[in-house]
């Protein structure tokens, strides 16, 4: 399996990081989806087959990556799970940029997470920050602190936020689709009426989260309902977590 991963990672380098493939195995057949990486979203290649026009170069890279992943990445796979192949290659953090942790809303519109400059919020302390109505689509947010942040009505499509602290954050009415929340702490977060389609929550802490009226899609709902941390009730809204997502007890 290690050799297979090495081969797939080398494919990402040859494609310039334009796309990555997510393979989902739930018994058989295997389901796959291809999407733009966060870096791709900072240029003009954004979009995917479900959410808007796909640039020809991105379409070609997705097809090539998907073909190689299906050949190399599925043999001997576990019977279930989600696997991203390969992990996006990110630039180093510019710690000399004093304005890096002051988010600027994109003026280009959120549909494809396009912006003229990389929005790098990695390691930033944004706890209790009011970001309501902001367009921070495509932002790199790995290991940032957004505890108690207000993201009401925000646009956060395609953001990359693994291992990020979102404890008690409010995402009411927000568009949070295709976001990577893997390993994030979402304890007590509120996603009331938010759009969460095609987002990833692998190993995320979902205790006391309120998903009331959120759009997640059937496949994501089934995956979230298997998360062992999906329990409790939200301390602000009083909504029981599993019931708010429509999970069976």
């Amino acid at each position: 399996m290690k050799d297979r991963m090495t081969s797939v990672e080398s494919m990402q380098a040859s494609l310039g990081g334009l796309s990555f493939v997510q393979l989902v195995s739930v018994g058989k057949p295997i389901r796959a989806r291809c999407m733009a990486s966060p870096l791709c979203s900072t240029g003009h290649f954004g979009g995917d087959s479900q959410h808007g026009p796909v640039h020809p170069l991105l379409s070609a890279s997705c097809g090539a990556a998907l073909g190689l992943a299906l050949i190399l990445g599925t043999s001997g796979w576990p019977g279930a799970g989600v696997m991203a192949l390969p992990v996006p290659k990110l630039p180093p953090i510019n710690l000399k940029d004093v304005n890096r942790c002051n988010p600027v809303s994109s003026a280009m519109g959120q549909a494809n997470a396009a912006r003229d400059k990389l929005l790098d919020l990695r390691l930033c302390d944004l706890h209790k920050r009011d970001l309501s109505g902001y367009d921070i689509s495509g932002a790199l947010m790995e290991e940032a602190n957004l505890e108690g942040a207000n993201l009401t009505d925000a646009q956060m499509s395609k953001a990359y936020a693994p291992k990020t602290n979102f404890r008690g954050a409010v995402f009411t009415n927000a568009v949070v689709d295709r976001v990577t929340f893997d390993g994030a702490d979402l304890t007590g977060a509120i996603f009331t009426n938010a759009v969460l389609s095609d987002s990833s929550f692998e190993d995320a802490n979902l205790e006391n989260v309120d998903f009331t009226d959120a759009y997640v899609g059937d496949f994501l709902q089934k995956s979230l309902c298997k998360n062992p941390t999906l329990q409790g009730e939200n301390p602000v809204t009083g909504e029981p977590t599993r019931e708010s997502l429509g999970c069976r007890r």
Side-chain angles (χ1 to χ4, degrees), residues 8-201:
V8 174
E9 286 168 359
S10 68
M11 183 65 173
Q12 189 263 352
S14 70
L15 295 173
L18 287 178
S19 61
F20 64 94
V21 174
Q22 189 172 71
L23 301 178
V24 182
S25 175
V26 185
K28 293 183 179 181
I30 287 175
R31 173 181 169 186
R33 58 182 172 143
C34 189
M35 61 194 75
S37 73
L39 295 182
C40 178
S41 298
T42 65
H44 301 285
F45 298 104
D48 60 36
S49 60
Q50 295 181 1
H51 297 88
V54 180
H55 189 281
L57 182 56
L58 175 59
S59 178
S61 70
C62 279
L66 175 57
L68 185 63
L70 287 173
I71 293 171
L72 297 177
T74 60
S75 178
W77 244 26
V82 177
M83 189 174 190
L85 300 173
V87 174
K89 204 169 186 179
L90 305 178
I93 300 173
N94 182 8
L95 298 176
K96 295 181 180 180
D97 185 354
V98 296
N99 294 315
R100 186 177 66 83
C101 292
N102 294 317
V104 176
S105 184
S106 172
M108 295 183 181
Q110 66 84 30
N112 291 314
R115 59 181 65 248
D116 54 8
K117 182 181 178 181
L118 178 67
L119 182 55
D120 190 354
L121 303 176
R122 288 174 292 175
L123 304 179
C124 289
D125 185 2
L126 299 170
H127 78 282
K128 295 186 178 181
R129 186 71 67 90
D130 184 5
L131 299 174
S132 56
Y134 270 54
D135 180 356
I136 53 173
S137 299
L140 303 180
M141 307 172 74
E142 185 173 12
E143 296 188 45
N145 179 15
L146 283 90
E147 182 171 355
N150 181 9
L151 291 149
T152 301
D153 295 317
Q155 309 280 357
M156 211 172 105
S157 299
K158 297 183 183 178
Y160 186 69
K163 301 178 182 178
T164 301
N165 180 5
F166 288 107
R167 293 177 67 93
V170 179
F171 294 90
T172 301
N173 299 328
V175 178
V176 203
D177 62 312
R178 297 166 286 173
V179 175
T180 301
F181 284 115
D182 298 353
D185 187 354
L186 291 155
T187 305
I190 299 173
F191 285 103
T192 303
N193 203 42
V195 176
L196 292 167
S197 53
D198 291 329
S199 289
S200 174
F201 292 84

